Amino acid sequence: MYNTIIMPVDVFEMELSDKAVRHAEFLAQQKGIIHLLHVLPGSASMTMQRFAADLRRFEEHLQQEAETRLKTMVAHFSIDPSRIQVHVRMGSVRDAVNELAEELNADVVVIGSRNPSIATHLLGSNASNVIRHAHIPVLVVR
């Protein structure tokens, strides 16, 4: 069905991805590979330049923590763990999803969305941005 599936997740809000996990597994079927992606916010603020070394250490800590949590999340899937790869990127979710999709020649994005508010209209802000800028199909799971 689908060979390469990107699933953006927030490792600090894992419950948001619970339902999306089942959908990604279904789409992967027999041979698909699921790429879990966590995106850390970029911190290129000019006011933080004086604290560059501390900021780098903090970003490294966040990167390691995100990778650890993503590896833990692999256990939530019922498919072979060798068919799940983890990625941690910096920047915006929208850009990171598009870049990874292009690198991997991905087939589809599966993303969880929280309950909408007036500010985000019908979707969460990340899901909405991914949909608006994606060049491949996006499945949003509430």
Side-chain angles (χ1 to χ4, degrees):
M1 184 159 216
Y2 291 102
N3 294 322
T4 307
I5 299 162
I6 296 176
M7 186 176 159
V9 296
D10 184 345
V11 296
F12 301 106
E13 286 190 61
M14 300 279 253
E15 66 279 354
L16 184 61
S17 301
D18 288 344
K19 291 180 183 175
V21 165
R22 302 298 155 237
H23 284 75
E25 283 180 324
F26 176 76
L27 294 176
Q29 300 257 330
Q30 308 298 324
K31 61 180 181 165
I33 296 175
I34 298 172
H35 295 266
L36 297 176
L37 170 65
H38 177 74
V39 182
L40 297 167
S43 59
S45 170
M46 295 302 278
T47 60
M48 298 299 285
Q49 292 301 323
R50 294 185 303 187
F51 307 104
D54 291 336
L55 189 58
R56 258 191 312 278
R57 279 198 300 274
F58 180 66
E59 287 174 345
E60 288 169 4
H61 170 73
L62 284 178
Q63 174 106 13
Q64 291 171 348
E65 182 65 22
E67 288 174 4
T68 300
R69 289 182 182 218
L70 281 173
K71 289 175 184 170
T72 301
M73 187 178 186
V74 170
H76 290 48
F77 287 83
S78 59
I79 64 174
D80 183 359
S82 68
R83 293 177 45 213
I84 302 171
Q85 296 182 10
V86 298
H87 306 268
V88 178
R89 302 278 175 104
M90 299 284 280
S92 75
V93 174
R94 175 196 73 203
D95 294 341
V97 168
N98 281 330
E99 288 167 8
L100 186 61
E102 196 170 307
E103 288 172 25
L104 301 172
N105 196 22
D107 300 307
V108 67
V109 175
V110 177
I111 188 169
S113 180
R114 64 177 43 131
N115 292 331
S117 66
I118 294 295
T120 56
H121 302 290
L122 298 175
L123 294 171
S125 58
N126 284 327
S128 181
N129 278 329
V130 169
I131 289 170
R132 266 197 307 274
H133 299 281
H135 303 288
I136 60 174
V138 178
L139 172 64
V140 178
V141 181
R142 291 206 187 261

